[in-house]
Amino acid sequence: MARRAKHRLMNDINVVPYIDVMLVLLIIFMITAPMINHGQIELPQIGKSLATPAIPLEVIIKADGSLTLRDRAKTTTEQKVDRNQLIEAIKQKQAQNAEQPVVIAADKNVRYEEVIKVMDILQQNQVQKVGLLAQQK
C-alpha cells in the first residue's frame, strides 16, 4: 500500500511561473509604453466647404464619332462641337471655375480608342478633373 501512495496524481497547477512571466511582461510594457510615438488623426471638420461642387460638363461621343457638349448648369440642351471647339468651351468654363469637372459619356457602339483620344486631348490641355459616365442597369 505504501507503493500506491507514491504514484498519487497531482491535481494542483503550479501558477508561480505564470505569475513570474506576467510580472516580467507588465514591467516591459510599463517601460516601453511612454516611448511609443502617438499618431495624430486629423478628422474632417464640418462646414469647411461652403461652395457647392460644380456640375460637370458632359462630353458625349456618339456612335458616328461626333462630339456633343452638354452643360447641365445652364441648360440641358446639347451643343454639337468638334475637338477644337470642345477645348475652347472647356477652357472658358475653367476660366470661370478652375475646379470644373468633365465627364465623358460614350455610346455603347463607340470604340474605346475614341474615348481614350478624347481623354488624351483633355489631358494635353491641362483639364484636371476628368471622369467616365456610366449608366446603371
Side-chain angles (χ1 to χ4, degrees):
M1 290 230 191
R3 200 170 183 185
R4 281 191 175 185
K6 290 182 182 178
H7 295 293
R8 196 175 94 206
L9 293 176
M10 184 176 176
N11 293 335
D12 299 326
I13 297 175
N14 189 4
V15 294
V16 174
Y18 298 122
I19 293 172
D20 290 343
V21 170
M22 182 189 67
L23 289 174
V24 169
L25 289 174
L26 179 65
I27 291 170
I28 290 171
F29 287 129
M30 288 174 61
I31 292 172
T32 58
M35 295 180 203
I36 296 174
N37 292 333
H38 299 287
Q40 289 185 344
I41 299 173
E42 294 182 17
L43 297 174
Q45 300 295 323
I46 297 175
K48 271 197 167 187
S49 176
L50 298 176
T52 59
I55 298 173
L57 294 172
E58 290 183 28
V59 178
I60 302 167
I61 307 172
K62 298 200 176 182
D64 61 355
S66 64
L67 299 176
T68 304
L69 182 65
R70 181 188 298 164
D71 185 5
R72 291 193 178 199
K74 289 184 178 179
T75 60
T76 58
T77 59
E78 298 176 354
Q79 174 187 0
K80 192 168 184 173
V81 292
D82 63 2
R83 296 185 194 281
N84 294 329
Q85 292 172 340
L86 173 70
I87 296 303
E88 290 301 320
I90 291 175
K91 288 219 182 240
Q92 287 176 357
K93 282 291 188 178
Q94 283 189 335
Q96 297 169 2
N97 180 9
E99 296 293 318
Q100 177 66 50
V102 177
V103 293
I104 300 172
D107 187 85
K108 67 179 182 178
N109 297 325
V110 172
R111 292 176 45 97
Y112 198 67
E113 179 182 358
E114 294 299 319
V115 176
I116 295 297
K117 284 180 184 178
V118 172
M119 288 178 75
D120 189 40
I121 290 170
L122 294 174
Q123 182 182 17
Q124 288 174 0
N125 289 285
Q126 285 77 37
V127 178
Q128 298 297 320
K129 293 187 174 185
V130 178
L132 296 175
L133 186 65
Q135 261 187 343
Q136 294 181 350
K137 290 185 177 184

